[in-house]
Amino acid sequence: MARIIVDSKEIEVPDSYTLLQAAEAAGAVIPRFCFHERLSVPGNCRMCLVEVKGGPPKPVSSCSMGVRDLRPGANGEPPEIFTNTPMVKKAREGALEFLLINHPLDCPICDQGGECDLQDQAMAFGRSSSRYAEDKRAVEDKYIGPLIKTVMTRCIHCTRCVRFTAEIAGSDEIGLTGRGEDAEITTYLQRALTSELQGNIIDLCPVGALTARPYAFHARPWELTKTETVDVMDAMGCAIRVDTRGREVMRILPRVNEAINEEWISDKTRFVWDGLRRQRLDRPYLRQARGRLVETGWAEAFAAIRQAVSKAEKGSIGAIAGDMATVEEMYALKALLAALGSDNVDCRQDNTALHGQFGRASYIFNPTIAGIDESDALLIIGSNPRLEAAVLNARIRKRSLKSGDYPIGLIGAREDLRYPYTYLGAGRESLKALAAGESSFFHLLKKAQKPLIIIGQAALCDHDGEEILRLIAQIARDTAALRADWNGFAVLHRAAARVGGLDIGFTPPGGKKAVDIIASSDILFLLGADEADLSAKKGFTVYIGSHGDKGAHAADVILPAAAYTEKSGIYVNMEGRVQMAARANFAPGEAREDWAIIRALSAILGQVLPFDSLSALRKNLFADYPHLAGIDKILPGKAADIIALGDKIGVIKGQAFPPAVQDFYLTNPIARASAVMAECSALAHQRRLAGSKIEKTGYRHV
């Protein structure tokens, strides 16, 4: 620790702090453009200047000078800095005056208006007029894809976007070319960015040079109602803010949550909002004798369901929950089927082998997402974190860059993960060789103090998924990944609803899977289930969901429900953290919240569920599963369950693990309804085709 005086206030700070951090710890306000807490320090905007007592007769950059660089006074007094002297004030005014020489000053038509750092700091620290009357420089706008709109004349060359793509996203696609007045931020080849995290540079840009293309000219920030909630595009549960105007979602932004997403979100999370108002189900539909779905009323739809249920046998009723279902609606649907005499429920659309009978530790990300920073070796099995959980992949990259001796091994499809790794093989044979100690990477894991094993769903969804899960549990046991102070067994989920469904037992008994329920059910309820294979479906199907996707097309009755921004509900993320999502807007037309639909349907079927409100439902839910009442808390799994899981391993035969995700941008019905996601998907498909041609011919066009 070091003692330092800031504006006559003496404080004690870590000697690793910069002067900027020390000044802020003392309560001083330091303006900045180029500096960002999560990026490297360039020290090029010169806005964070401070005066050092006994130092040079000019202000110094507080973001690039450390506390340990200061010298004490002549008599051993603590070093002293000033943040508001006339020298500092004049220097900041000069820096802003230079920045505004070539700025177009087009605030009335800029989407950054009202949220612009340049606006705010010009008002707080700038001069009231400029001494420059020369012609302004103009820079040609760059095309960098369908997500980000560029007006590069506004750019002040803070290089935040350059450092983010290079350091966090790992794509090195943006850079600064030229010098002096010819300097420009560009993508070099004028092509669309390929990163799944590129939208974060919109938040990082301190001016209006980079703004959201889909949001352009749609709204002003002061018009919008802000709602803090959680994301359901993957299983991470990233903290987000949904901005609405009236009944429409206008944009989605990240919130800071150090334990999960820091302050980043994926492009799918950020830009999927236009899919919330396309292809919506806003009224009930009933399939007529000729096979056409026609609009109907709630009473007629419920009557058709009652008639079908009355003819079905008790054990032939099944239900499949989708990837974005809340815990409350799954709990209600499970209770309804139990009242109808059936336990054929499943939340595992992909037929994964994960099941609550093996213990909670067998299906959660035990070390937690933040625990990646503590790990010292990583094995990835049947997963592509870049596409399954892009923000988590950025965290792995950060850990990889933190120390050069962080070994990463991959078993599965060979992919570009944005960080170096050792490729250990394509599937089962490589995994068995590793478990037998025949791989040098096994010994690296064994020597590690905190090894981390990430298990993807691609490894667990085949016929021998349970045996593979047991084999991985054995590897975790043999490499000391299971200790009293560390549990490195980490299951990477793709569905936001999966862990919550497993927690409440939304799984069938007797080793059944979703495919078995679909094939054997005379009455099938689909709770937003659009990813399941319905080719073997034979019975009467009821779809409760928000979008006209795969499940709705296969349904005999459609009951319109609310999307994730239109309801309050509980989700449990991949690490087992209980999260509460808030309602940001209302569902369109006659659509209702899913739990309310199930409650109304239970009365029609003569099996009235014991709750009339969401609070009453949650009271019953918390009584049955007390850990779900602990919002933002994690009920840890027991390492003993994983050890027991690895004690018995059957026969494993088969081929390579398939790719984890076919298309990052089209993984759920909301994304498939989004025009923005469709454009991103088409660009990604073109890149894949170009890449395959390069592999075949060996020719790369530059």
Side-chain angles (χ1 to χ4, degrees):
M1 300 294 284
R3 301 198 70 80
I4 183 174
I5 300 174
V6 181
D7 295 336
S8 302
K9 180 180 179 181
E10 186 172 340
I11 60 170
E12 190 174 16
V13 296
D15 58 4
S16 60
Y17 267 27
T18 63
L19 297 188
L20 188 149
Q21 291 172 304
E24 291 192 333
V29 177
I30 305 292
R32 83 291 299 267
F33 288 117
C34 67
F35 176 79
H36 191 275
E37 291 80 359
R38 304 187 197 277
L39 304 175
S40 60
V41 178
N44 59 11
C45 76
R46 320 311 289 177
M47 271 303 295
C48 63
L49 300 173
V50 297
E51 182 179 351
V52 177
K53 183 177 181 180
K58 61 180 181 179
V60 299
S61 173
S62 64
C63 72
S64 57
M65 187 173 186
V67 169
R68 61 166 61 99
D69 298 327
L70 298 175
R71 288 180 288 181
N75 300 316
E77 304 95 337
E80 188 170 1
I81 64 173
F82 304 95
T83 66
N84 54 11
T85 61
M87 178 196 291
V88 173
K89 184 175 183 294
K90 183 178 179 181
R92 289 174 179 168
E93 288 178 351
L96 273 167
E97 191 174 10
F98 274 118
L99 288 177
L100 293 172
I101 289 174
N102 287 311
H103 196 78
L105 304 178
D106 55 350
C107 301
I109 62 166
C110 178
D111 278 311
Q112 197 81 346
E115 300 173 315
C116 179
D117 291 348
L118 185 60
Q119 276 185 335
D120 297 340
Q121 294 186 37
M123 291 294 294
F125 304 102
R127 292 168 54 93
S128 59
S129 60
S130 174
R131 292 170 288 177
Y132 294 90
E134 289 78 13
D135 292 338
K136 292 179 180 286
R137 154 185 115 134
V139 181
E140 183 180 354
D141 294 341
K142 310 296 189 297
Y143 173 77
I144 60 176
L147 302 180
I148 301 171
K149 175 188 173 186
T150 63
V151 184
M152 301 313 293
T153 303
R154 301 171 184 159
C155 180
I156 61 171
H157 301 162
C158 71
T159 69
R160 282 187 180 183
C161 56
V162 177
R163 285 173 285 142
F164 174 84
T165 54
E167 298 166 12
I168 307 297
S171 56
D172 284 320
E173 294 177 298
I174 300 180
L176 188 144
T177 63
R179 300 186 61 167
E181 69 174 0
D182 295 323
E184 294 185 23
I185 300 290
T186 178
T187 58
Y188 301 120
L189 299 178
Q190 302 283 312
R191 293 181 181 173
L193 301 182
T194 62
S195 172
E196 294 78 22
L197 298 169
Q198 61 183 275
N200 291 289
I201 65 177
I202 297 169
D203 301 327
L204 291 174
C205 184
V207 295
L210 303 174
T211 55
R213 187 181 292 273
Y215 173 73
F217 309 125
H218 275 62
R220 288 295 194 182
W222 54 83
E223 299 178 300
L224 305 177
T225 301
K226 287 84 172 174
T227 305
E228 295 184 351
T229 183
V230 295
D231 173 49
V232 299
M233 292 296 111
D234 55 36
M236 285 190 65
C238 296
I240 60 173
R241 192 188 82 194
V242 178
D243 289 359
T244 58
R245 184 175 62 188
R247 300 177 70 97
E248 289 191 2
V249 174
M250 303 304 296
R251 63 178 181 178
I252 297 174
L253 300 176
R255 290 188 292 122
V256 176
N257 188 325
E258 298 294 346
I260 301 176
N261 60 305
E262 297 178 305
E263 59 184 87
W264 319 123
I265 55 174
S266 72
D267 294 336
K268 184 164 54 177
T269 297
R270 183 185 298 270
F271 294 106
V272 79
W273 52 266
D274 71 313
L276 288 167
R277 54 175 176 252
R278 289 189 170 94
Q279 298 182 19
R280 287 304 302 268
L281 300 172
D282 58 356
R283 64 201 67 190
Y285 287 83
L286 179 63
R287 193 175 296 278
Q288 299 289 7
R290 294 183 179 180
R292 291 187 59 191
L293 285 166
V294 297
E295 297 178 12
T296 188
W298 282 98
E300 292 79 2
F302 281 167
I305 298 171
R306 179 178 59 191
Q307 182 180 4
V309 170
S310 66
K311 297 177 181 178
E313 297 181 5
K314 287 188 176 181
S316 65
I317 301 176
I320 308 296
D323 292 348
M324 295 182 287
T326 66
V327 172
E328 292 95 335
E329 59 206 45
M330 286 189 287
Y331 177 80
L333 185 56
K334 181 186 175 185
L336 176 59
L337 260 71
L340 294 173
S342 175
D343 53 8
N344 292 326
V345 296
D346 206 340
C347 62
R348 306 166 302 172
Q349 293 188 87
D350 53 7
N351 301 301
T352 181
L354 300 173
H355 199 286
Q357 65 182 351
F358 303 133
R360 196 170 200 249
S362 69
Y363 61 81
I364 65 173
F365 203 93
N366 290 281
T368 71
I369 295 169
I372 293 172
D373 300 338
E374 301 178 32
S375 64
D376 54 1
L378 172 61
L379 173 63
I380 303 173
I381 302 171
S383 175
N384 181 350
R386 178 183 162 192
L387 301 184
E388 294 179 62
V391 177
L392 181 135
N393 197 60
R395 198 146 198 161
I396 296 174
R397 173 176 166 79
K398 183 180 76 169
R399 176 62 187 88
S400 176
L401 294 175
K402 186 178 179 181
S403 61
D405 58 345
Y406 184 65
I408 302 176
L410 172 67
I411 296 177
R414 191 194 293 265
E415 303 282 357
D416 177 11
L417 299 182
R418 306 296 197 189
Y419 43 79
Y421 61 84
T422 302
Y423 188 63
L424 303 176
R428 291 164 174 80
E429 296 304 320
S430 303
L431 184 62
K432 289 193 289 185
L434 179 76
E438 299 172 6
S439 170
S440 59
F441 199 85
F442 178 84
H443 302 290
L444 286 175
L445 290 173
K446 201 164 186 177
K447 292 178 182 178
Q449 296 299 310
K450 292 185 175 181
L452 174 60
I453 302 174
I454 293 180
I455 306 105
Q457 301 306 302
L460 305 176
C461 294
D462 214 333
H463 63 282
D464 57 353
E466 182 178 326
E467 306 308 324
I468 292 174
L469 183 66
R470 291 181 181 277
L471 182 60
I472 298 171
Q474 183 190 81
I475 295 172
R477 180 195 64 194
D478 294 345
T479 57
L482 305 173
R483 299 179 178 176
D485 61 339
W486 177 255
N487 187 338
F489 190 88
V491 177
L492 177 55
H493 290 276
R494 298 196 295 254
R498 185 65 51 81
V499 175
L502 293 171
D503 273 354
I504 66 170
F506 203 90
T507 47
K512 287 184 180 180
K513 294 185 177 180
V515 64
D516 302 316
I517 295 175
I518 292 170
S520 61
S521 296
D522 292 332
I523 305 292
L524 180 64
F525 289 93
L526 299 176
L527 186 61
D530 293 281
E531 316 308 322
D533 182 6
L534 301 175
S535 59
K537 180 185 77 71
K538 65 171 186 177
F540 186 88
T541 304
V542 179
Y543 179 76
I544 306 172
S546 60
H547 283 70
D549 204 78
K550 182 179 176 181
H553 286 289
D556 296 290
V557 175
I558 296 175
L559 305 179
Y564 74 102
T565 61
E566 299 159 359
K567 57 189 175 185
S568 173
I570 294 173
Y571 291 93
V572 185
N573 78 344
M574 67 169 70
E575 57 185 355
R577 187 185 302 273
V578 182
Q579 298 177 298
M580 181 69 75
R583 182 172 62 190
N585 61 327
F586 291 92
E590 298 180 36
R592 298 293 183 265
E593 294 185 40
D594 305 65
W595 73 266
I597 294 172
I598 296 167
R599 169 60 181 82
L601 181 59
S602 71
I604 298 296
L605 298 179
Q607 303 290 344
V608 181
L609 296 176
F611 50 82
D612 292 318
S613 64
L614 186 57
S615 59
L617 188 160
R618 286 176 177 161
K619 184 178 179 180
N620 292 347
L621 174 67
F622 297 155
D624 292 342
Y625 306 98
H627 75 279
L628 294 176
I631 303 301
D632 204 37
K633 295 180 180 178
I634 299 175
L635 175 66
K638 299 176 182 178
D641 292 336
I642 302 174
I643 294 173
L645 186 63
D647 287 341
K648 181 182 178 182
I649 301 173
V651 178
I652 297 176
K653 290 184 179 180
Q655 62 289 339
F657 298 137
V661 175
Q662 298 297 328
D663 193 328
F664 168 77
Y665 298 102
L666 304 178
T667 56
N668 60 65
I670 299 176
R672 288 190 287 270
S674 166
V676 177
M677 292 296 99
E679 187 173 356
C680 291
S681 175
L683 282 173
H685 180 65
Q686 291 175 10
R687 286 194 296 267
R688 286 194 295 270
L689 289 178
S692 64
K693 290 179 181 178
I694 290 171
E695 289 180 4
K696 291 178 181 178
T697 63
Y699 172 75
R700 181 180 295 275
H701 176 72
V702 178

